[in-house]
């Protein structure tokens, strides 16, 4: 997991990854997460995803990409100080 976490931290510092984290689910056999990126287009997003160790080691079996237009709230309230070190 460490290379994956280091890569995500790098994306945060570059301003590409806004927030990410695993879903909370009782099913122990399935691991899922949400990642919210700030990118110019889907091509840039795919370039970033394909460099993630989880991705190129085949640990991502399914993914969905949706464009999102946030209207309300403040994502800075979700800040995890430890993760952003």
């Amino acid at each position: 997991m460490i290379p994956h976490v280091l890569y995500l931290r790098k994306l945060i510092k570059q301003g590409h990854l806004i927030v990410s984290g695993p879903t909370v689910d009782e099913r122990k056999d399935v691991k899922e997460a949400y990642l919210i990126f700030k990118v110019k287009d889907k091509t840039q997003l795919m370039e970033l995803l394909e460099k993630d160790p989880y991705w190129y080691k085949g640990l991502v079996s399914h993914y969905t990409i949706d464009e999102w237009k946030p209207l309300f709230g403040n994502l800075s309230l979700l800040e995890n100080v430890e993760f952003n070190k």
Side-chain angles (χ1 to χ4, degrees), residues 68-85:
W68 180 51
K69 183 178 180 180
L71 296 176
F72 305 102
N74 183 350
L75 288 176
S76 67
L77 297 174
L78 299 175
E79 182 177 349
N80 180 334
V81 176
E82 170 145 351
F83 188 78
N84 292 320
K85 286 183 183 176

Side-chain angles (χ1 to χ4, degrees), residues 1 17 28 32 41-42 49 52 58 60 70-71 75-77:
M1 175 176 15
L17 180 60
K28 304 288 185 208
E32 296 178 318
D41 56 30
K42 187 175 178 180
L49 288 175
D52 184 335
V60 177
L71 296 176
L75 288 176
S76 67
L77 297 174

Side-chain angles (χ1 to χ4, degrees), residues 7-36:
Y7 183 67
L8 295 182
R9 286 181 178 168
K10 176 181 167 184
L11 292 179
I12 289 169
K13 287 180 182 173
Q14 293 173 343
H16 296 300
L17 180 60
I18 304 305
V19 65
S20 72
T23 60
V24 178
D25 194 337
E26 297 298 321
R27 294 174 44 196
K28 304 288 185 208
D29 60 322
V30 176
K31 303 288 185 197
E32 296 178 318
Y34 288 112
L35 294 89
I36 298 177

